[in-house]
Amino acid sequence: MLGELAGQSHAGRGAQTPFYNVAIKATTEILTGSEIFLNYGANYVEETEELQREDYDKLDQTIQKMIDFFAKYGDEIDENAIIQIYSFLLRDVMTAAVGTERQKIIGKILPKHPSQLKEILDAGGSMKYDKQNAFRNEDWMQKNGFCADTIKYGESTIPEAGRGAFATRSLELGSVVTASPMIHLPSGRVMDMYPLVSDEEGDFIRESVEVSGQQLLLNYCFSHGDSSMLFLPTGPGVGFINHSKEPNAKVRWSDHPYNHHKEWFQVAPQHLLASEEFARIGLLMEVVALENIEAGDEIFIDYGTEWEEAWNEHAERWNKVYPVENGWPTRAIEVNERYKTTPFPTENDGEELPENVGLMAFIMIKESTAAGTLEEPKLWDMPEVGTAYDADNL
């Protein structure tokens, strides 16, 4: 695992995850200035009647079919019939297809007369026509946006720190290294974990009110000693920035007029957390260069004396329980990393796996083209029956 010290005991154990490098892949052409949208899954769709990207795609297909229909039969029927047919399609057929609530949304998008349908497709489709604010020109982005590719992750130069953030290009003193929207959380108590048991219906419930630990996510939050609130950065790469007493960057609240709502600082915390008016991300933090930073340099900020004292106390307790000289058991993921680029040893090589690591072999033929759902997960296609790679022949 990147940045992990295999076989060594250190206080950073448990603070790293083997699950990283998750990327967002474009499923269609994304034009410059387009807002990025993801499908949050069936559970999210059930909670909202907002149209999703696939809904807009289907609507575009429907619009094209209506255009083709009226182009073909428009000369054979009078104006009143055209209006009646269009109203029937828009009201009755659309309601039967998508339901009453979504029909109301679609009804606000589509024009009053079918002769205007082509204007929607000429504008780039129903999504661009409906959500014009989801598409910005380059001038707007230059004025209001931030570059999201100024840092990348890699193995930190600090031993035991795991991964770190590195500059992808030169950054001048005082320039913005990166920016991050901040999720405001009411208290660190939302990160508390409790012992759980399963009830008769198979749901997990608290076994007791005794706190058993905190979520790893707490390590990435910002807070102030005089406040119970937490701020979780969501900007790309911000969570990889490590601590140093000699930092080359610092954090500050942004003065950006569009993305940062400084008036929120005048709102009482309980109202900030309870009101639907603030149930979104409205605060923006910037990481600013304290000196000239060259491409490839690791980015550091000062976490503060309280954090450093807490870390030193944790490291001291850890070393008493898990002394460095005792080492650390090898994990399966570390064995997998080791043999990604070298042949796996055979019995004749005399190398044995640790007792806590097992060996399994499998073959991946190709990824299935099925989309996959929670009930029927996406699977890998299996070898053809009767071939050399059929499970019965292995």
Side-chain angles (χ1 to χ4, degrees):
M1 188 169 68
L2 184 64
E4 182 60 280
L5 302 176
Q8 297 185 29
S9 172
H10 59 83
R13 284 281 178 185
Q16 301 177 45
T17 173
F19 304 104
Y20 60 95
N21 200 27
V22 174
I24 297 175
K25 181 180 179 181
T27 57
T28 185
E29 181 183 8
I30 301 176
L31 301 178
T32 301
S34 302
E35 185 175 353
I36 310 298
F37 293 97
L38 289 174
N39 185 343
Y40 288 175
N43 291 336
Y44 181 84
V45 173
E46 290 175 0
E47 297 173 1
T48 177
E49 293 296 335
E50 289 292 325
L51 299 185
Q52 307 301 307
R53 177 58 188 257
E54 56 266 31
D55 297 321
Y56 285 107
D57 291 340
K58 292 177 181 178
L59 181 56
D60 288 344
Q61 296 171 14
T62 302
I63 291 172
Q64 185 61 61
K65 289 179 180 179
M66 287 194 289
I67 292 174
D68 295 341
F69 172 83
F70 287 109
K72 184 175 181 179
Y73 299 105
D75 294 336
E76 301 177 13
I77 51 180
D78 59 28
E79 181 66 17
N80 288 335
I82 290 176
I83 296 298
Q84 290 178 5
I85 294 172
Y86 182 60
S87 298
F88 172 75
L89 293 173
L90 191 59
R91 184 185 62 250
D92 299 88
V93 176
M94 199 68 72
T95 300
V98 300
T100 302
E101 294 303 319
R102 289 195 173 189
Q103 185 276 333
K104 292 179 181 178
I105 297 175
I106 293 174
K108 294 178 180 179
I109 300 173
L110 298 183
K112 294 182 179 180
H113 196 277
S115 62
Q116 300 172 310
L117 286 170
K118 192 173 181 297
E119 296 178 7
I120 297 178
L121 299 186
D122 290 343
S126 56
M127 183 175 180
K128 191 169 184 178
Y129 185 84
D130 179 39
K131 296 185 177 297
Q132 297 183 20
N133 288 336
F135 299 87
R136 306 291 190 178
N137 59 40
E138 293 190 24
D139 290 339
W140 185 95
M141 290 192 295
Q142 289 287 347
K143 181 180 179 180
N144 297 284
F146 290 93
C147 292
D149 62 347
T150 51
I151 57 178
K152 63 179 181 180
Y153 76 84
E155 184 174 350
S156 176
T157 58
I158 301 176
E160 306 176 5
R163 293 180 286 277
F166 295 82
T168 59
R169 55 178 176 267
S170 297
L171 301 164
E172 295 183 354
L173 166 67
S175 63
V176 175
V177 177
T178 188
S180 176
M182 308 292 280
I183 297 177
H184 50 285
L185 302 171
S187 167
R189 289 183 297 176
V190 301
M191 298 292 183
D192 289 345
M193 296 189 297
Y194 301 86
L196 303 176
V197 293
S198 180
D199 62 16
E200 296 178 354
E201 297 179 355
D203 297 324
F204 288 104
I205 58 175
R206 289 185 186 180
E207 184 179 28
S208 71
V209 295
E210 183 178 351
V211 176
S212 60
Q214 282 77 38
Q215 297 183 49
L216 181 60
L217 201 61
L218 183 62
N219 288 351
Y220 297 90
C221 292
F222 288 77
S223 64
H224 190 282
D226 295 333
S227 174
S228 64
M229 292 191 68
L230 298 178
F231 296 93
L232 176 65
T234 61
V238 175
F240 291 120
I241 300 177
N242 287 316
H243 163 74
S244 174
K245 291 301 293 182
E246 298 179 355
N248 54 9
K250 68 175 183 178
V251 296
R252 71 181 184 193
W253 288 114
S254 175
D255 58 1
H256 197 285
Y258 184 82
N259 294 300
H260 181 66
H261 300 271
K262 60 183 180 181
E263 67 274 10
W264 284 24
F265 293 138
Q266 308 304 318
V267 179
Q270 61 270 23
H271 184 62
L272 186 67
L273 298 167
S275 174
E276 286 294 326
E277 179 184 355
F278 306 104
R280 57 187 173 87
I281 297 177
L283 300 175
L284 187 72
M285 179 194 76
E286 296 174 353
V287 180
V288 181
L290 291 175
E291 59 188 55
N292 292 331
I293 299 174
E294 300 300 324
D297 287 352
E298 184 169 2
I299 309 297
F300 296 103
I301 60 174
D302 187 346
Y303 288 5
T305 55
E306 289 185 35
W307 180 91
E308 189 162 350
E309 290 172 359
W311 171 260
N312 290 335
E313 291 177 6
H314 164 70
E316 184 177 351
R317 292 194 302 268
W318 176 277
N319 292 330
K320 288 180 179 179
V321 180
Y322 307 105
V324 175
E325 57 270 19
N326 288 357
W328 195 263
T330 300
R331 299 181 300 164
I333 191 171
E334 294 164 351
V335 177
N336 289 332
E337 289 288 332
R338 184 189 311 166
Y339 295 111
K340 274 186 175 180
T341 56
T342 58
F344 194 83
T346 64
E347 294 181 358
N348 296 331
D349 295 325
E351 184 173 346
E352 296 183 358
L353 292 174
E355 294 182 357
N356 62 310
V357 176
L359 178 63
M360 294 183 66
F362 62 96
I363 295 177
M364 295 182 295
I365 302 301
K366 63 179 179 179
E367 192 174 3
S368 171
T369 57
T373 64
L374 185 63
E375 293 75 19
E376 298 181 6
K378 186 171 186 175
L379 301 175
W380 288 80
D381 289 343
M382 302 302 293
E384 294 183 15
V385 176
T387 63
Y389 294 109
D390 183 3
D392 294 335
N393 295 327
L394 295 177

